[in-house]
Amino acid sequence: MLERSPSVDSERPPLYKSPTRTSSRSSGSKRPPFYSNDSASTLVGSAYERKINDVESVKEKVDTTERLEEIRRLMAKEKLDYYVVPSEDPHQSEYVAASDKRRSWISGFTGSAGQAIISKTAAYLVTDSRYWLQARDELDSNWHLIPGGAVDGPKDWIDWLVDRAKDSKIGIDARMISHEKATLLNTQLNLKNSKLNYPPQNFIDMVWKEKPLRSKEPVFIQSLEFTGREASTKIAEVRAWIQAQPPAVPSYSKATPTPAQMHIGTLITSLSSIAWLLNLRGSDIPFNPLFYAYLFISLDRVVLFLDPVKLTDEVEDHLRVLNIERKEYNDIWAFLRRREWGEGKVLISPETSYAISLMLTHFRYTVMPSFIDNIKAIKNEVELEGLRRAYLRDGAAYVRWLAWLEHKIQQGYDITEYEAAWRLTEYRRQNKHYWGLAYENISASGPNAALPHYSPTKSGARMIDRDTPYLNDSGGQYRDGTCDTTRTVHFGRPSVDQSEAYTRVLQGHIAIDSAVFPEGTTGSQLDVLARRALWKDGLNYMHGTGHGFGSFLNVHEGPHGFSSSVALVPGHVITNEPGFYLEGRWGMRIESALAIRRVKTKGEFNGDVWLGFERLTCVPIQTRMVKESMLTKEEKQWLKDHNKKCLERLELPLKDDKRALKWLKRESDRGIGIAAPGPGGITIDWD
């Protein structure tokens, strides 16, 4: 189960590509000399060479003056009052390829969420609380930060724009906004005598002279060993769903439905849905094993719109067996314009780009929640078993790394956030089925840990200190599962306020993990359990408590989550990640992955309808920062049982790593908290 790959290289192109090796240094060369403050020297061999060849440009605040002037010239030609640059790509992806980072290019803000809004005289960046501090640091003087979701502030960018718009003409690329958002925005703008306008070309693309090219990496097959279901059975299930949809006739009509009112197919634009449905994966977007495509499914044909350069002979054969037609990626527009499916309506999801809605016109489509998102979210037994194996391997790597990190810091080394993150990736790289990282490593100490989505750079990383918590949120992409784990540790003596806040976070984590609830319960109904302990002390966190995740797909996957009104069902997987962040000082978060399962209860009221969670993550929770007196008897037992279980499951795979095994056994047996100072201020740690 935990067998390591014979080589860190894979036969397939990895999602995360390490820098190309250019040094002539032999992997068998001696370790370079180092000193206690030389963070860069703790890696050796090929790992060291990968690191020293990770050349980054010095990150400077972008001067956006000329870029904004060019955009405003284009706005003047179209007589626009505002121009909106969303974060998304034409498939409404959360994470996008370098060629689709238009909002980042125009604003200089590199966070994954946010909208740039440019007026004739000013520029605005609207983003949520996860990125407020990062945006303040990255935006230049041309930009005004609009904190979405702030108290007494706008809920989001749509709320802000509608409030300001009056007799306005607002430009946006219709491909970059979903049908759902565009419809909502148009409805609200009409009340202000304003409207959206869709220029034929994207303004950013017109002025971005050094725009990166789109990936040409090949698509590859995700085998039945990992998927548990043939692509043909998934396609058949989609067709059965299409057939089950009633004709689009007015409720008052008693006439026989016409062919034009019948639903004959569906257009799928979500990249993760296409990859899952066809049992294919790709490398077009960093950290996400996806490829750019559109997919049309009707009762008698399947058409895949894809760049032909990405097809291997193996994938061509795979598509041929499935009887899938292939067209060029951009042929989707001609296909829609000509209505090549004939008469009838096409089913689309609310997340479909508005450009597609406009091309179809409302007479030829029906909007419905994504059927594929719903069935993809319910993992089958093969996928669940794959996730269990992946989280066990990932947990072993995480423990090996924690043992290494603590050892180095105790030896007196100064380790940077970047160095720690890089070393963890090197441990993961040795795992079987490793394909890359699931997202950019969040490695944060001191005030950086108060930024929920902070990622260190080689040149700007902070040293991990002994006075504040160190937070690491990271995960590997494996062929059998996508991992997402966060642990917060302390390498010194935590302060009283750190211990109390950490204990409240832990109590929220335990409350979610141990919850039992009836069928029909939604994630949003359970969310308060994670916050209740924090609320007692007037503390809170501004991000969600947890999200679904994929089976070698996206690390964020819906439609369920702890902020969602979708009922949790067996087969759903979800993260449990309460936290607390003290701006400018420190932050903390504990995250484990859970699978929803059926549980037996004493009363069994209403029968076998009770659900609970199975914990997938296998990494101990440090007890050093926990204030024992704040825990209930049950919470203390939960913490001890969790760390004991980690020892039981990881002891065998770590048997050859004496340092990691010693660390794991110590954490399993360790008491809660640290001893209070004795007479004269003398302190004694459990270590």
Side-chain angles (χ1 to χ4, degrees), residues 206-326:
M206 294 172 70
V207 301
W208 191 356
K209 295 179 176 59
E210 297 179 357
K211 189 170 180 281
L213 298 175
R214 184 158 282 181
S215 166
K216 301 294 185 183
E217 294 288 347
V219 172
F220 57 94
I221 297 171
Q222 179 75 341
S223 68
L224 191 63
E225 169 193 0
F226 303 117
T227 66
R229 290 186 69 190
E230 296 281 7
S232 57
T233 65
K234 298 177 184 179
I235 292 171
E237 190 173 356
V238 172
R239 282 176 165 156
W241 170 72
I242 295 169
Q243 284 186 305
Q245 303 313 308
V249 296
S251 57
Y252 56 81
S253 175
K254 295 182 180 180
T256 302
T258 66
Q261 293 172 325
M262 303 298 290
H263 292 109
I264 54 81
T266 183
L267 180 64
I268 304 160
T269 63
S270 164
L271 301 184
S272 63
S273 292
I274 295 170
W276 177 85
L277 189 67
L278 300 181
N279 287 349
L280 295 174
R281 300 293 188 269
S283 304
D284 287 359
I285 298 177
F287 311 113
N288 297 266
L290 307 175
F291 54 94
Y292 283 103
Y294 295 96
L295 184 67
F296 177 81
I297 299 178
S298 70
L299 300 180
D300 57 3
R301 67 189 296 205
V302 181
V303 186
L304 177 65
F305 299 86
L306 176 73
D307 187 342
V309 74
K310 307 175 77 60
L311 293 173
T312 63
D313 291 343
E314 186 182 18
V315 173
E316 289 270 25
D317 291 342
H318 177 76
L319 297 176
R320 193 176 300 113
V321 169
L322 293 170
N323 197 27
I324 295 176
E325 303 173 46
R326 186 184 55 74

Side-chain angles (χ1 to χ4, degrees), residues 38-74:
D38 183 5
S39 177
S41 60
T42 62
L43 294 173
V44 297
S46 60
Y48 177 72
E49 293 185 10
R50 274 192 291 271
K51 180 166 182 267
I52 63 175
N53 287 311
D54 180 28
V55 180
E56 67 174 10
S57 57
V58 178
K59 187 176 180 180
E60 297 179 352
K61 190 169 287 190
V62 177
D63 184 351
T64 62
T65 304
E66 291 185 9
R67 299 176 183 182
L68 289 170
E69 286 176 355
E70 290 190 68
I71 296 297
R72 290 188 177 112
R73 279 196 289 270
L74 295 171

Side-chain angles (χ1 to χ4, degrees), residues 386-450:
L387 284 165
R388 293 183 187 106
R389 292 194 305 266
Y391 270 95
L392 197 56
R393 290 195 303 274
D394 201 69
Y398 207 106
V399 166
R400 292 176 67 205
W401 166 75
L402 278 173
W404 167 85
L405 181 60
E406 183 179 281
H407 177 69
K408 288 299 177 185
I409 288 178
Q410 286 179 348
Q411 283 187 322
Y413 284 82
D414 286 332
I415 307 295
T416 69
E417 301 160 323
Y418 171 87
E419 168 80 4
W422 190 279
R423 187 61 180 239
L424 176 52
T425 299
E426 291 299 326
Y427 278 121
R428 285 190 166 113
R429 189 186 296 277
Q430 299 172 37
N431 280 338
K432 183 180 181 181
H433 295 319
Y434 176 80
W435 204 255
L437 294 177
Y439 50 100
E440 196 166 12
N441 210 317
I442 298 171
S443 174
S445 180
N448 292 338

Side-chain angles (χ1 to χ4, degrees), residues 335-347:
F335 180 84
L336 296 175
R337 186 173 61 253
R338 296 169 184 161
R339 301 195 297 281
E340 293 187 19
W341 59 90
E343 278 195 291
K345 283 180 173 283
V346 176
L347 295 158

Side-chain angles (χ1 to χ4, degrees), residues 25 29-34 40-41 43-45 48:
R25 182 192 301 272
S29 63
K30 292 183 179 180
R31 176 177 179 157
F34 59 85
S41 60
L43 294 173
V44 297
Y48 177 72

